[in-house]
Amino acid sequence: MRPANVASVSIATVVDFLQNFGAAHSSVTSPLPDDTDVVVTGVSIDSRTVQPGDLYIGLPGARSHGAGFAPKAVEAGATAILTDDDGARLLGECAVPVLVGSSLRSAVGPISRLIFQSQPAGVQRPTLFGITGTNGKTTSTYLLNSLLRALDHTTGLIGTIEILAGDESIPSQLTTPESPQLHGLLALMRERGLTAASMEVSSHAIAYRRVDGVKFDVAGFTNLTQDHLDLHGDMEDYYQAKAALFTRERARRGVVMVDDEWGRRLAAESSIPVTTLSGYGMPADWTVTDVQPVGTGHRFLVNGPDGVRLACHTALPGAFNVTNAALAAVMVHESGVPAGRLQEALDEADPFTVQVPGRMEVVGTAPAAIVDFAHNSDALERTLQSVRTPDESGRVILVFGATGERDQGKRAVMGAIAARNADVVIVTDDDPHDEDAATIRAEVFEGAAAARRDEDLSCELSNIAPRQAAIDAAVEMATRNDAILVAGRGHEVWQEVQGVNHPLDDRVELRASLQRHGFTPAGSERIES
């Protein structure tokens, strides 16, 4: 995830940068006569990823200090170390120059940009799009990538499911990589001549400074609903993390969905030029109208200023995918692509009909069998509403759970939403992590049971584990007219229980169960992880 050729940067240049950045420094030790003879060609904050020529930055961590791994970094080829005062005391004698600074966490991204030359001024580089929000980031990024390809761009993609550099796919461990990897990846894309790149930008990425030093040409916002409060504490802090993307430091311009109060606030408070978009009738620069069901998806119009109108189509299920597609279209237009050229690409390539792994992924059609990543209350409600047939001729059977060690306050809420919107609710395990799985299920189940009791609902409730058994129970009770939704894990292929990763792919399990009970899965190809 870094370019093949990186121009060397002298330690003296790094020192000057630290001084200008405001991170005080001093050279602790050097085995060389002159530190200015030392150069670096990369950056790493993980000793396991160090390559020869790297500047290794030893930062304090939750359990240990990164400086403690400096000997391994030097052994791997690091030519210099940057750490703080505590790290310097851990180091003692070192075989390479050591720089000591303060506020280093905030300096990692800008230093990585400097050394990797990820976005150099005056040099052709990929136009960079970033999408943030609670729900819809992954799908919108895939739709954006597909549209850019239809416009003859050579593209890159950085997100939850995978990283793409042209045609090369790299499995993704984080929604947004750590800043040295991110800047190395952007430099790699520039080196390979990519002309556009799309990136998911999570609140974690902003709060943990993974996107520091990156400037987006166009930033997009989908929505904000309760999630990740285990990190942020409250919705205000969550909002502020998202809003930080829409500042002059991080983006040149933005496109903001204003269908919720947070989007309207963001549009009003942003310090960069913002274009607004509404999919549900709110006043905005761009609006979605004339939504018509077509097969599994929709046709719709996206109406802009001065009579501009884009006729769009997506075969993806769910009304929310209409707004995801509209956001992608407006972001590309805001990057400078004329509406006429956009319409040509929309007509010729149908770019919004692209399968996004684990996002409203259709595994079967009779019964409808869908796997989705919906793992918070808003996403679950929207997804449940989207899978019910207009004539309500069949039942909606839901299989879902809640993740361990994450935002416990949303568990009962999700249970209640399930009870209100599904005919059959099967509560099961998601990723328990180190938390007791039965306790998590009980909290979700109680939320569903309370809603059924207090609101006089008629849904059936079950608590079934393990997850494979829950999926099979859903298929066993289904008829061809029903819809089965397996929600929460989407594209994921491992389930973490007490620190151990167990192979589990909802798509594979659902497909196998359909076949076992005499139904025909959609398509004959095996779903690849």
Side-chain angles (χ1 to χ4, degrees):
M1 289 172 52
R2 59 171 71 185
N5 300 297
V6 180
S8 60
V9 176
S10 70
I11 286 294
T13 300
V14 176
V15 168
D16 289 342
F17 172 85
L18 289 169
Q19 289 177 328
N20 294 329
F21 188 77
H25 81 281
S26 61
S27 181
V28 174
T29 180
S30 171
L32 303 175
D34 185 354
D35 285 354
T36 59
D37 291 338
V38 177
V39 298
V40 293
T41 54
V43 183
S44 180
I45 59 173
D46 185 338
S47 63
R48 296 166 295 184
T49 65
V50 168
Q51 296 187 21
D54 275 4
L55 170 69
Y56 173 66
I57 305 179
L59 300 170
R63 295 190 177 95
S64 60
H65 199 293
F69 301 94
K72 291 183 179 179
V74 173
E75 184 179 344
T79 54
I81 307 295
L82 173 62
T83 189
D84 58 15
D85 288 327
D86 291 338
R89 283 190 286 271
L90 281 173
L91 275 174
E93 294 294 326
C94 189
V96 299
V98 177
L99 300 177
V100 181
S102 57
S103 304
L104 293 186
R105 179 65 69 177
S106 63
V108 173
I111 287 176
S112 300
R113 177 186 175 115
L114 167 74
I115 293 174
F116 284 118
Q117 289 294 291
S118 53
Q119 293 181 303
V123 176
Q124 186 171 352
R125 58 170 182 79
T127 302
L128 187 59
F129 299 84
I131 297 181
T132 196
T134 303
N135 301 314
K137 295 189 297 297
T138 299
T139 299
S140 297
T141 304
Y142 269 81
L143 296 175
L144 185 56
N145 182 67
S146 182
L147 177 57
L148 290 167
R149 287 190 172 190
L151 290 163
D152 299 322
H153 281 283
T154 306
T155 64
L157 182 145
I158 304 170
T160 303
I161 297 173
E162 62 183 341
I163 295 170
L164 296 173
D167 293 328
E168 181 183 356
S169 177
I170 306 166
S172 181
Q173 293 182 324
L174 298 170
T175 300
T176 309
E178 294 287 359
S179 53
Q181 287 84 5
L182 177 55
H183 284 278
L185 181 58
L186 293 175
L188 173 65
M189 292 180 179
R190 176 177 58 80
E191 181 180 71
R192 292 186 178 179
L194 274 60
T195 55
S198 309
M199 184 189 309
E200 293 181 52
V201 186
S202 66
S203 61
H204 287 70
I206 298 170
Y208 292 150
R209 316 196 73 103
R210 293 176 191 150
V211 292
D212 281 11
V214 175
K215 188 140 188 184
F216 295 89
D217 295 290
V218 184
F221 175 84
T222 59
N223 50 60
L224 196 72
T225 61
Q226 182 178 338
D227 205 0
H228 304 305
L229 297 191
D230 51 311
L231 169 65
H232 297 288
D234 56 36
M235 289 297 292
E236 177 64 23
D237 188 78
Y238 187 24
Y239 165 78
Q240 292 297 338
K242 298 290 190 183
L245 182 62
F246 294 80
T247 60
R248 292 186 177 91
E249 177 189 9
R250 300 186 187 274
R252 291 180 171 82
R253 61 186 310 105
V255 178
V256 175
M257 295 289 304
V258 292
D259 291 317
D260 65 31
E261 61 178 311
W262 300 104
R264 294 190 287 276
R265 177 179 169 186
L266 177 60
E269 295 179 350
S270 173
S271 61
I272 60 174
V274 162
T275 295
T276 56
L277 168 65
S278 172
Y280 299 100
M282 298 299 298
D285 300 316
W286 291 80
T287 57
V288 176
T289 63
D290 298 88
V291 180
Q292 298 293 329
V294 178
T296 59
H298 298 84
R299 293 194 182 279
F300 55 97
L301 299 178
V302 184
N303 309 280
D306 303 319
V308 173
R309 176 172 290 180
L310 299 172
C312 304
H313 167 260
T314 177
L316 297 181
F320 49 82
N321 279 319
V322 169
T323 57
N324 289 337
L327 177 62
V330 176
M331 288 180 69
V332 172
H333 184 270
E334 286 297 304
S335 75
V337 178
R341 178 70 187 99
L342 258 180
Q343 189 64 65
E344 289 176 7
L346 291 168
D347 292 341
E348 294 171 3
D350 195 19
F352 295 148
T353 297
V354 58
Q355 181 62 65
V356 184
R359 295 333 190 250
M360 294 300 288
E361 186 165 345
V362 178
V363 178
T365 55
I370 296 170
V371 170
D372 191 71
F373 193 56
H375 61 283
N376 58 57
S377 53
D378 180 70
L380 185 63
E381 183 171 29
R382 293 189 188 196
T383 303
L384 280 166
Q385 291 171 353
S386 73
V387 300
R388 187 176 292 281
T389 58
D391 61 4
E392 299 190 3
S393 58
R395 298 173 300 169
V396 173
I397 303 171
L398 171 66
V399 179
F400 86 116
T403 309
E405 301 179 333
R406 303 286 189 278
D407 194 3
Q408 297 181 8
K410 69 182 183 182
R411 294 174 185 172
V413 175
M414 290 176 66
I417 285 171
R420 294 182 191 119
N421 292 278
D423 301 291
V424 179
V425 176
I426 302 176
V427 177
T428 189
D429 297 332
D430 194 294
D431 283 324
H433 298 300
D434 290 331
E435 196 173 346
D436 179 63
T439 299
I440 301 171
R441 293 197 308 274
E443 292 178 9
V444 176
F445 187 91
E446 177 53 33
R452 184 177 65 173
R453 179 183 63 247
D454 298 342
E455 300 171 33
D456 195 24
L457 304 173
S458 59
C459 60
E460 300 175 28
L461 302 180
S462 299
N463 182 337
I464 301 176
R467 194 174 179 94
Q468 297 92 322
I471 292 172
D472 194 68
V475 176
E476 184 178 20
M477 71 175 64
T479 69
R480 293 178 61 84
N481 293 327
D482 292 335
I484 303 166
L485 173 64
V486 182
R489 302 186 70 253
H491 65 285
E492 295 174 353
V493 298
W494 301 97
Q495 183 182 48
E496 185 186 340
V497 182
Q498 298 297 319
V500 178
N501 283 331
H502 301 272
L504 178 60
D505 187 325
D506 287 353
R507 300 163 296 177
V508 171
E509 295 297 331
L510 184 54
R511 178 180 291 274
S513 188
L514 288 168
Q515 291 174 322
R516 190 161 49 248
H517 291 285
F519 299 116
T520 302
S524 58
E525 73 284 357
R526 181 184 181 277
I527 297 175
E528 298 294 338
S529 300

